[in-house]
């Protein structure tokens, strides 16, 4: 009769080696690259080739027909002394305020209120309905929104806003024909259009917040603002970075609302880089100079993206190290 020792029982109870969750195949992985080939081709045709061609045009004088004439750095030299160019980038600060700072801040507060207050008191369906209401301007075509806004702020007594002001004895205002009203109208429209995006993203992020954290903090006497800053902000920090980055890029290259509502006026007061490049491309047919503006805008977007990503990675690294 064999004697069973503890070592024998341990060997018998030893589990087989863990198998990988994804079956592994030997040999070359060259076949996998075939599935990536369509994406690479589209990237090459849609992004890389136009980008290289655009950079080349910055060193040429071209009106869109015939052969481009190489002129070296003349477009870049002219750009440095172009007051309209610097005005367009200065106006981008207002676009960032209207499309990043205000929507992200207000969207975060609205999402937290819908999730932590409205959702708990009135149920998830009410919160979902309000979330969809906030997001509605995002799916509304820019042209339709521009027509509606143009009807509201139309100059003269037939504009909707001027009719309301007329009830109180206030004379009609040319909202889009003077400053600062034209810039204010554009910024209000941008806030209205943009605010739904942060609300939807933040409400989705709040789904992974454990409700017991809120309950424990509430039992400890924390009010809503304290729960928001100590729990909500720390948990959804990655989503805050994503929203801030994507909204910043959208603000730097905003075009549609400016084109539909103000056309860069009055006197360039709402001119932005994307619309300025469009004017040089299609209105003045100065393709080389328009390509230079577009290239500078692309470089700026890349720099901003790199800075955001590096800051986010640094904060995540410090958080993992417990600093």
């Amino acid at each position: 009769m064999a004697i069973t020792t503890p070592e024998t029982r341990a060997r018998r109870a030893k589990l087989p080696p863990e198998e990988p969750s994804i079956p592994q195949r030997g040999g070359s992985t060259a076949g996998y690259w075939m599935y990536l080939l369509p994406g690479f081709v589209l990237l090459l045709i849609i992004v890389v080739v136009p980008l290289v061609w655009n950079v080349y045009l910055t060193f040429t004088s071209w009106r869109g027909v015939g052969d481009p004439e190489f002129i070296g750095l003349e477009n870049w030299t002219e750009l440095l002394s172009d007051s309209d160019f610097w005005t367009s980038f200065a106006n981008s600060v207002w676009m960032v305020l209207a499309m990043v700072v205000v929507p992200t801040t207000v969207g975060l507060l609205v999402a937290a209120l819908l999730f932590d207050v409205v959702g708990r008191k009135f149920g998830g369906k009410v919160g979902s309905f309000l979330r969809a209401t906030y997001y509605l301007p995002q799916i509304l075509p820019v042209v339709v929104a521009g027509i509606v806004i143009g009807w509201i702020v139309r100059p003269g007594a037939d504009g909707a806003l001027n009719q309301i002001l007329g009830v109180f004895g206030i004379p009609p205002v040319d909202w889009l024909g003077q400053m600062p009203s034209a810039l204010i109208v554009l910024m209000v429209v941008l806030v209205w259009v943009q605010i739904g995006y942060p609300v939807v993203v933040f409400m989705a992020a709040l789904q992974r917040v454990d409700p017991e954290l809120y309950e424990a903090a509430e039992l400890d006497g924390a009010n809503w603002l304290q729960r928001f800053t100590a729990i909500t902000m720390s948990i959804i920090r990655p989503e805050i970075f994503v929203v801030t980055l994507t909204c910043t890029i959208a603000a730097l290259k905003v075009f549609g609302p400016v084109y539909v509502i103000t056309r860069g006026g009055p006197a360039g007061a709402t001119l932005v880089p994307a619309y300025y490049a469009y004017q040089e491309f299609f209105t003045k047919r100065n393709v080389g100079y328009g390509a230079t503006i577009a290239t500078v805008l692309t470089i700026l977007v890349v720099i901003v993206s790199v800075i955001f990503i590096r800051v986010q990675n640094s904060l995540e690294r410090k958080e993992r190290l417990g600093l």
Side-chain angles (χ1 to χ4, degrees):
M1 181 176 179
I3 300 176
T4 303
T5 62
E7 292 78 4
T8 304
R9 289 195 296 268
R11 284 195 299 270
R12 291 177 180 176
K14 186 178 181 180
L15 297 176
E18 183 179 356
E19 295 292 335
S21 57
I22 301 177
Q24 304 295 310
R25 297 177 59 184
S28 175
T29 60
Y32 295 148
W33 291 99
M34 295 299 296
Y35 295 97
L36 300 177
L37 186 59
F40 282 131
V41 171
L42 290 175
L43 178 66
L44 182 67
I45 296 175
I46 298 176
V47 178
V48 177
V49 172
L51 179 61
V52 173
W53 176 248
N54 187 82
V55 173
Y56 166 72
L57 290 177
T58 63
F59 303 102
T60 66
S61 175
W62 189 41
R63 300 189 62 83
V65 294
D67 297 327
E69 177 187 354
F70 186 80
I71 59 174
L73 297 175
E74 289 186 18
N75 287 326
W76 294 90
T77 305
E78 181 182 353
L79 195 70
L80 295 176
S81 59
D82 186 356
S83 59
D84 290 337
F85 169 76
W86 294 110
T87 299
S88 68
F89 270 92
N91 291 335
S92 294
V93 176
W94 299 108
M95 302 302 107
V96 170
L97 177 63
M99 297 185 67
V100 183
V101 179
V102 175
T104 303
T105 304
V106 177
L108 184 58
L109 293 173
V110 170
L113 288 171
L114 291 178
F115 181 82
D116 190 27
V117 179
V118 176
R120 293 172 62 182
K121 290 186 177 181
F122 302 100
K125 291 184 178 180
V126 176
S128 299
F129 172 77
L130 294 176
R131 176 179 58 186
T133 303
Y134 280 106
Y135 193 74
L136 183 62
Q138 280 277 315
I139 62 177
L140 191 67
V142 176
V143 176
V144 176
I147 293 174
V148 174
I149 298 301
W151 172 73
I152 293 175
V153 298
R154 182 182 301 171
D158 56 344
L161 185 56
N162 283 334
Q163 289 183 8
I164 296 175
L165 295 178
V167 175
F168 301 96
I170 301 176
V173 178
D174 186 5
W175 296 99
L176 300 180
Q178 59 184 355
M179 283 292 290
S181 59
L183 182 61
I184 293 174
V185 169
L186 180 61
M187 292 178 65
V188 169
V189 173
L190 292 175
V191 171
W192 171 66
V193 171
Q194 192 71 14
I195 196 170
Y197 169 64
V199 170
V200 170
V201 174
F202 292 147
M203 285 197 70
L206 288 171
Q207 299 295 327
R208 53 189 180 84
V209 179
D210 190 352
E212 294 182 357
L213 295 175
Y214 289 129
E215 296 174 0
E218 196 172 359
L219 290 175
D220 290 338
N223 56 32
W224 180 87
L225 183 60
Q226 291 172 330
R227 298 197 304 270
F228 172 76
T229 54
I231 299 175
T232 305
M233 292 282 291
S234 60
I235 293 179
I236 68 171
R237 184 186 301 166
E239 285 78 7
I240 295 176
F241 269 100
V242 170
V243 168
T244 305
L245 174 58
T246 53
C247 289
T248 301
I249 294 174
L252 292 175
K253 61 186 186 66
V254 63
F255 172 78
V258 177
Y259 176 80
V260 174
I261 299 174
T262 64
R263 297 294 179 96
T270 59
L271 186 66
V272 293
Y275 185 74
Y276 189 31
Y278 165 82
Q279 284 184 320
E280 295 294 331
F281 267 114
F282 300 104
T283 304
K284 301 179 181 179
R285 299 182 64 82
N286 192 356
V287 178
Y289 194 64
T292 307
I293 300 171
T295 302
V296 173
L297 181 59
T298 302
I299 294 172
L300 179 61
V301 169
V302 171
I303 292 174
V304 170
S305 302
V306 171
I307 292 174
F308 267 90
I309 294 173
R310 290 181 66 89
V311 170
Q312 182 181 7
N313 292 338
S314 176
L315 291 176
E316 290 179 352
R317 191 180 307 111
K318 291 182 180 179
E319 186 176 356
R320 287 195 300 267
L321 295 177
L323 299 178

